[in-house]
Amino acid sequence: MVAPPLHFSLRMSPKTMEPLARRLFRGVLIAEVAGVIGAYWLFQRMNTSQEFRHSVKRRFPSILEVYYKSNEWAGIYGIREQDQEMWSKNNQ
Protein backbone atom coordinates (compact mmCIF):
# COMPACT_ATOMS: atom_id res chain seq x y z
CA MET A 1 0.00 0.00 0.00
CA VAL A 2 1.39 3.39 -1.03
CA ALA A 3 0.85 6.42 1.17
CA PRO A 4 -0.47 9.52 -0.53
CA PRO A 5 2.21 12.18 -1.13
CA LEU A 6 2.51 14.85 1.51
CA HIS A 7 2.22 18.36 0.19
CA PHE A 8 4.28 20.91 2.04
CA SER A 9 3.80 24.47 1.04
CA LEU A 10 6.70 26.84 1.48
CA ARG A 11 4.47 29.77 0.80
CA MET A 12 3.49 31.95 3.67
CA SER A 13 -0.01 33.22 3.89
CA PRO A 14 -0.45 36.89 2.94
CA LYS A 15 -1.32 37.76 6.52
CA THR A 16 2.00 36.49 7.89
CA MET A 17 3.95 37.98 4.99
CA GLU A 18 2.74 41.53 5.64
CA PRO A 19 4.47 42.06 9.03
CA LEU A 20 7.68 40.56 7.63
CA ALA A 21 7.57 42.91 4.63
CA ARG A 22 6.94 45.88 6.89
CA ARG A 23 9.86 45.01 9.17
CA LEU A 24 12.13 44.48 6.19
CA PHE A 25 11.07 47.79 4.63
CA ARG A 26 11.53 49.59 7.95
CA GLY A 27 15.00 48.08 8.38
CA VAL A 28 16.06 49.10 4.87
CA LEU A 29 14.65 52.59 5.38
CA ILE A 30 16.49 53.02 8.69
CA ALA A 31 19.75 51.82 7.12
CA GLU A 32 19.29 54.25 4.21
CA VAL A 33 18.60 57.21 6.51
CA ALA A 34 21.62 56.30 8.68
CA GLY A 35 23.79 56.17 5.55
CA VAL A 36 22.63 59.60 4.38
CA ILE A 37 23.20 61.11 7.83
CA GLY A 38 26.66 59.52 8.02
CA ALA A 39 27.63 60.79 4.58
CA TYR A 40 26.42 64.29 5.45
CA TRP A 41 28.35 64.25 8.74
CA LEU A 42 31.52 63.10 6.96
CA PHE A 43 31.17 65.78 4.28
CA GLN A 44 30.56 68.53 6.85
CA ARG A 45 33.53 67.42 8.92
CA MET A 46 35.80 67.33 5.87
CA ASN A 47 34.45 70.64 4.63
CA THR A 48 35.21 72.47 7.87
CA SER A 49 38.46 70.89 9.10
CA GLN A 50 41.71 70.77 7.17
CA GLU A 51 43.20 68.68 9.98
CA PHE A 52 40.44 66.11 9.57
CA ARG A 53 41.07 66.01 5.80
CA HIS A 54 44.74 65.33 6.54
CA SER A 55 43.86 62.38 8.78
CA VAL A 56 41.48 61.09 6.09
CA LYS A 57 44.31 61.45 3.55
CA ARG A 58 46.54 59.20 5.65
CA ARG A 59 43.89 56.56 6.38
CA PHE A 60 41.49 56.61 3.41
CA PRO A 61 42.96 58.55 0.47
CA SER A 62 40.22 57.40 -1.90
CA ILE A 63 37.54 59.04 0.28
CA LEU A 64 39.47 62.32 0.23
CA GLU A 65 39.72 62.07 -3.56
CA VAL A 66 35.93 61.68 -3.79
CA TYR A 67 35.55 64.78 -1.59
CA TYR A 68 37.85 66.81 -3.86
CA LYS A 69 36.16 65.56 -7.04
CA SER A 70 32.66 66.28 -5.74
CA ASN A 71 33.66 69.84 -4.85
CA GLU A 72 35.31 70.37 -8.22
CA TRP A 73 32.24 68.94 -9.93
CA ALA A 74 30.12 71.45 -7.97
CA GLY A 75 32.38 74.29 -9.16
CA ILE A 76 34.38 74.74 -5.96
CA TYR A 77 38.06 74.76 -6.86
CA GLY A 78 41.23 75.29 -4.88
CA ILE A 79 40.66 73.14 -1.79
CA ARG A 80 43.05 70.43 -2.95
CA GLU A 81 45.75 72.97 -3.75
CA GLN A 82 45.33 74.76 -0.41
CA ASP A 83 45.61 71.46 1.44
CA GLN A 84 48.70 70.36 -0.46
CA GLU A 85 50.35 73.74 0.09
CA MET A 86 49.62 73.70 3.83
CA TRP A 87 50.72 70.09 4.29
CA SER A 88 53.96 70.66 2.36
CA LYS A 89 54.75 73.68 4.60
CA ASN A 90 54.19 71.57 7.71
CA ASN A 91 56.51 68.81 6.45
CA GLN A 92 59.45 71.13 5.85
Side-chain angles (χ1 to χ4, degrees):
M1 196 172 198
V2 177
L6 298 174
H7 295 283
F8 291 103
S9 176
L10 295 177
R11 292 183 181 171
M12 297 178 78
S13 70
K15 288 184 179 182
T16 59
M17 194 66 166
E18 187 175 312
L20 177 65
R22 283 184 186 201
R23 283 190 303 228
L24 183 63
F25 177 74
R26 188 175 296 142
V28 169
L29 185 64
I30 289 170
E32 190 75 24
V33 168
V36 168
I37 290 171
Y40 179 76
W41 174 83
L42 181 64
F43 178 81
Q44 280 299 111
R45 186 85 190 269
M46 290 177 71
N47 207 30
T48 57
S49 173
Q50 191 175 46
E51 184 178 321
F52 183 72
R53 285 195 300 270
H54 193 267
S55 66
V56 170
K57 176 188 174 197
R58 285 183 274 128
R59 294 181 190 152
F60 309 105
S62 60
I63 293 177
L64 184 62
E65 186 62 29
V66 168
Y67 168 77
Y68 289 144
K69 290 285 184 186
S70 65
N71 275 320
E72 290 167 358
W73 187 61
I76 302 169
Y77 298 98
I79 297 173
R80 180 192 314 255
E81 292 77 14
Q82 289 174 359
D83 287 348
Q84 289 172 349
E85 183 180 329
M86 181 64 75
W87 297 333
S88 68
K89 285 180 184 177
N90 290 342
N91 288 337
Q92 291 177 357

